[in-house]
Amino acid sequence: MELNVTYITLDGYVDLEKYRALYFVIVCSAFVVIICSNSTIVCLIWIHKNLHEPMYFFIAALLLNSILFSSAFYPKILVDILSEKQVVTYSTCLFQWYIIYAIGGAEFWLLMFMALDRYLAICKPLQYPTIMTKSRVNVLLTVAWTVPALQVAILITAASQKKLCNFITRGIICNSTTYKLHCFPSAALKKFGLYVMVNLIFIPAICNCFTYIRIFIITKRRGLEVRKKAMRTCLPHLIVLFNYFCLGSFDVLLARFEGQFPKLGRFIMSLQLILYHPLFNPFIYGLKMKRISTHLQRIFCAVKHDERL
């Protein structure tokens, strides 16, 4: 029995015939670096007991998200680059749509819990060990992964019931612009999508800002040395939060004003969404977090020693 399969054409690539080899080398290299760098830090946190603290568990979860995200998108992108036609089944398109927002929402929630962890560690150091227990960290990690996943699942399930009249998307992956493939726009679906976006992005972002402002106000009263220590600890999280909020803004702009961007602009912004965050996160944490960078230096020193032998 032959099943009807709906295909969506991905019309987001620029001069693919001309730059096919270059695109493949860039994407393949980025994929290898992302998997290796993120996996290395996750393994370091898993192996070394002095990294078995709430902050490092949250970092490991954040980097694990980057591995899952990249594994869901990069192999398909590499196949598309090598193919004559860049198409995706509608079910795969819905899966990509789900992954990008389920993992994206989880990252915002993880960053919110990381900010809470830093607030308790810096501003309430005596109560910190009794509040941020291992069981509470496990609960927070579970909430960060399941709440976005369930909300986005409801959204995608509702969207999958809509009839398609357009079979060409202007991106290189499927995201919320998949709305525009539907024959008739659904006001209820758009309202629920807005609710999910506010719940998964804007509320955690506001909570993050409030928490870090509170940290800086409290540490300012405690002197220069305490403020410097707080800045060293919080800076990597703030960089990641800022980067991710910018990327989230790119995605919103692409979804809302896609037709107003030139094709090259859409392509560059799409590449930013899949490249920037998972590629630079491990370097930000590896270089800025002293304990992690110390373990990385030991690995590099051991490798250099073996090469000399």
Side-chain angles (χ1 to χ4, degrees):
M1 183 178 177
E2 190 173 334
L3 297 174
N4 291 326
V5 179
T6 302
Y7 288 95
I8 307 298
T9 300
L10 302 169
D11 189 33
Y13 291 94
V14 176
D15 293 330
L16 184 57
E17 290 294 332
K18 185 177 180 181
Y19 298 111
R20 189 186 303 274
L22 178 62
Y23 288 158
F24 185 84
V25 170
I26 291 173
V27 174
C28 186
S29 301
F31 185 43
V32 171
V33 173
I34 286 168
I35 297 299
C36 292
S37 57
N38 283 279
S39 299
T40 298
I41 296 181
V42 171
C43 289
L44 284 176
I45 293 170
W46 178 270
I47 293 169
H48 295 284
K49 289 186 177 181
N50 71 326
L51 298 179
H52 289 186
E53 295 179 6
M55 177 175 65
Y56 296 103
F57 288 139
F58 287 125
I59 291 173
L62 203 66
L63 300 183
L64 183 60
N65 271 1
S66 295
I67 296 171
L68 295 173
F69 177 87
S70 302
S71 299
F73 286 96
Y74 276 79
K76 179 64 174 74
I77 291 171
L78 289 170
V79 170
D80 286 338
I81 291 172
L82 295 177
S83 302
E84 290 185 11
K85 293 183 179 180
Q86 291 69 50
V87 295
V88 60
T89 62
Y90 186 50
S91 57
T92 303
C93 191
L94 291 173
F95 173 74
Q96 289 187 343
W97 186 6
Y98 173 78
I99 288 294
I100 195 170
Y101 294 110
I103 289 183
E107 299 229 354
F108 272 108
W109 277 60
L110 284 169
L111 289 167
M112 178 175 66
F113 292 144
M114 290 167 78
L116 174 63
D117 174 74
R118 289 302 83 206
Y119 170 76
L120 293 171
I122 294 168
C123 303
K124 298 181 182 293
L126 297 179
Q127 297 99 313
Y128 179 75
T130 57
I131 296 174
M132 292 300 287
T133 60
K134 187 176 179 180
S135 59
R136 280 207 176 94
V137 171
N138 289 334
V139 169
L140 293 177
L141 289 173
T142 303
V143 168
W145 275 317
T146 55
V147 171
L150 291 173
Q151 292 188 8
V152 178
I154 295 171
L155 178 65
I156 302 303
T157 302
S160 68
Q161 307 304 314
K162 305 296 290 182
K163 185 180 178 182
L164 299 182
C165 284
N166 185 12
F167 301 93
I168 298 175
T169 182
R170 296 180 178 181
I172 62 174
I173 59 174
C174 292
N175 56 6
S176 59
T177 56
T178 308
Y179 276 128
K180 298 182 180 181
L181 303 179
H182 298 156
C183 296
F184 305 102
S186 170
L189 198 61
K190 283 187 176 181
K191 286 179 182 178
F192 186 70
L194 182 62
Y195 164 78
V196 171
M197 184 173 68
V198 169
N199 194 28
L200 299 188
I201 297 177
F202 289 104
I203 290 177
I206 291 169
C207 291
N208 269 296
C209 293
F210 176 80
T211 304
Y212 284 117
I213 289 170
R214 184 69 181 156
I215 289 172
F216 295 140
I217 290 173
I218 292 174
T219 54
K220 188 176 181 181
R221 298 171 187 164
R222 296 182 180 177
L224 183 61
E225 196 61 36
V226 175
R227 192 161 68 250
K228 284 183 178 179
K229 186 177 179 181
M231 278 298 297
R232 283 197 302 269
T233 307
C234 296
L235 185 60
H237 308 313
L238 286 169
I239 294 171
V240 171
L241 176 63
F242 177 77
N243 288 341
Y244 206 63
F245 190 78
C246 289
L247 293 177
S249 300
F250 283 171
D251 184 72
V252 172
L253 289 171
L254 280 174
R256 301 300 175 202
F257 308 105
E258 183 188 31
Q260 299 177 27
F261 285 100
K263 190 171 184 178
L264 180 59
R266 292 197 307 269
F267 180 60
I268 292 172
M269 291 175 76
S270 297
L271 283 178
Q272 289 256 14
L273 289 172
I274 62 168
L275 279 173
Y276 189 69
H277 195 61
L279 189 61
F280 286 100
N281 271 7
F283 293 98
I284 291 169
Y285 285 117
L287 295 174
K288 293 293 183 180
M289 304 301 290
K290 189 175 179 180
R291 290 190 195 177
I292 294 176
S293 63
T294 300
H295 287 297
L296 288 173
Q297 286 171 11
R298 288 174 182 171
I299 292 174
F300 292 139
C301 289
V303 170
K304 286 182 179 179
H305 179 69
D306 291 340
E307 287 177 352
R308 287 172 184 173
L309 293 177

